[in-house]
Amino acid sequence: MAQEENCNHNCSGCSQNNCEKRDMHEKLHEGSSVKKVIGIVSGKGGVGKSLVTSLLASKISKDGWRAAILDADITGPSIPMAFGLEDERAETGTMSGSDGKAQEFLKPVQSKGGVQIMSMNFLLPHSTDPVIWRGPVISGAVRQFWTDVVWDNVDFMFVDCPPGTGDVPLTVFQSIPVDGIIVVSSPQQLVRVIVEKAVNMANMMNVPILGLIENMSYVKCPDCGKELNVFGESNINRIAEDFSLKVLARIPVEQKMSVTVDNGEVESLTEGYVDGAAEVIENLIRKD
C-alpha cells in the first residue's frame, strides 16, 4: 500500500498497518546496546567496502569509542581476515530474559583493539567452508546477527554489506535501524552508476547518506610523491556535487596497506586516510 499523503512519519501512532513506511526494525537482544549503526554499501563489488569498514572501525576504536562490525556479507566474508581472526569461533551463552526464561545468545569475537565482530566465518567449522544458501536464508542470518548476538555497549556499529541492491542490503535497511550509510566507490568509469544505485536505494528507504569514500583513488610515486591516477581521472568530486554529498575520504592503492590487511593487522595502520570520515561519524553522537 502506498504511503498516505497526510503521513506525518510517526509510525507509532499510525492506523495504517500495511503502510510501506511502517517501522519493521527487528529488536536487539535484551542484553545488547547499540547507539548508532552505519551501513557501508556500494552498487558494485570489488571496490573495498570491507577495507573501509575495517579502517573505520579501527579508527573509531582508537578514538576511544566502542566499535563493532556486523559482517553482512554472509557468502563472502573478509572482515575476519583483516583483523587476523580467521581461526576464531563465536561462543554461545545463556542468560535470563525479562520473562525469567533462559535465552541463548551469541557472543561476538573481539579483536586485539577491542572491536566486537560477528561474521559467518565464526560459525563455520572451517573458514574456507562455502555458504551455499539462497537469499531468504542469508537474509535470516543477517537478522540473527542483530537479534541473537549480545553487543556490549556499542557506540558505533558498522554493517559491511554485500554489493548491489538485493536481498541483504534490503534486509539491513528494513530490519536494522541504520542511522546513515557511506557509499564506497572507485575511480573507474562505472563509478557514477555505482554511486547512483546506492544513493537511490538509500533515498527510497529513507536512510541518510553521510558521504562518499573513493577507494583505489591513486598511487603515490615513492620517489617524487606525485599522485598517479592509474584507473583514470577521478570524477568523485563532481558526482558528489551532483548528489549534494560530501567526499569523506580518498584512499590510495598502497602496498603497505594491502600487506598489512592481508596479514590480519589492519588495526596497526596509522595512516589517516579515513580520519575525516570518522569525525563525521563520531559527530552523530556528539550532537545528540
Side-chain angles (χ1 to χ4, degrees):
M1 179 177 177
Q3 182 184 11
E4 294 291 326
E5 290 183 359
N6 61 349
C7 176
N8 63 3
H9 303 284
N10 180 15
C11 293
S12 61
C14 179
S15 61
Q16 298 295 326
N17 293 326
N18 57 344
C19 173
E20 65 182 17
K21 299 299 181 183
R22 176 163 290 279
D23 187 0
M24 296 183 291
H25 295 153
E26 301 280 354
K27 290 184 179 180
L28 275 170
H29 191 279
E30 286 185 17
S32 292
S33 173
V34 178
K35 294 177 182 176
K36 299 293 181 182
V37 180
I38 310 300
I40 309 299
V41 306
S42 178
K44 176 183 181 299
V47 297
K49 292 182 302 300
S50 295
L51 171 64
V52 169
T53 302
S54 301
L55 291 174
L56 285 172
S58 298
K59 170 60 179 173
I60 292 286
S61 180
K62 290 174 184 176
D63 286 349
W65 303 94
R66 295 178 67 87
I69 296 175
L70 189 160
D71 189 355
D73 197 347
I74 302 298
T75 60
S78 55
I79 294 293
M81 179 180 176
F83 286 86
L85 301 173
E86 303 101 309
D87 296 329
E88 297 292 330
R89 293 296 174 268
E91 298 180 6
T92 59
T94 304
M95 65 186 300
S96 179
S98 58
D99 57 1
K101 296 181 180 179
Q103 294 182 351
E104 290 188 352
F105 63 89
L106 284 168
K107 298 179 181 179
V109 174
Q110 188 161 297
S111 73
K112 293 178 181 178
V115 179
Q116 300 173 48
I117 304 172
M118 178 52 67
S119 174
M120 191 64 206
N121 266 13
F122 299 150
L123 303 176
L124 300 174
H126 307 95
S127 60
T128 55
D129 291 346
V131 178
I132 308 175
W133 293 348
R134 294 189 183 277
V137 182
I138 294 173
S139 296
V142 172
R143 283 192 292 270
Q144 284 185 286
F145 283 179
W146 175 253
T147 61
D148 294 1
V149 175
V150 170
W151 300 100
D152 183 16
N153 196 26
V154 172
D155 293 311
F156 296 100
M157 171 182 285
F158 297 91
V159 181
D160 184 19
C161 292
T165 54
D167 284 347
V168 173
L170 182 60
T171 296
V172 169
F173 288 159
Q174 289 185 330
S175 303
I176 300 175
V178 179
D179 295 282
I181 68 166
I182 290 176
V183 181
V184 183
S185 67
S186 64
Q188 294 158 313
Q189 288 184 345
L190 291 175
V191 62
R192 186 177 184 88
V193 176
I194 295 171
V195 172
E196 194 161 1
K197 283 180 179 291
V199 168
N200 286 341
M201 183 176 189
N203 288 336
M204 290 175 66
M205 303 302 296
N206 289 324
V207 178
I209 304 168
L210 302 180
L212 311 178
I213 290 182
E214 184 179 69
N215 188 36
M216 298 178 284
S217 189
Y218 57 90
V219 173
K220 184 170 287 188
C221 175
D223 295 324
C224 67
K226 182 179 179 180
E227 295 182 4
L228 306 175
N229 300 317
V230 294
F231 291 110
E233 195 69 29
S234 173
N235 296 315
I236 194 70
N237 289 324
R238 186 168 70 249
I239 293 171
E241 185 177 346
D242 290 345
F243 291 101
S244 299
L245 298 173
K246 294 180 179 179
V247 177
L248 303 178
R250 295 176 66 236
I251 303 174
V253 178
E254 191 174 77
Q255 184 181 27
K256 176 187 174 183
M257 188 187 307
S258 298
V259 172
T260 302
V261 173
D262 287 347
N263 288 337
E265 299 173 348
V266 67
E267 290 173 296
S268 70
L269 291 169
T270 57
E271 288 76 5
Y273 298 128
V274 298
D275 286 4
E279 183 176 0
V280 169
I281 293 167
E282 291 168 4
N283 282 339
L284 293 176
I285 285 183
R286 293 191 182 116
K287 292 178 180 179
D288 283 352

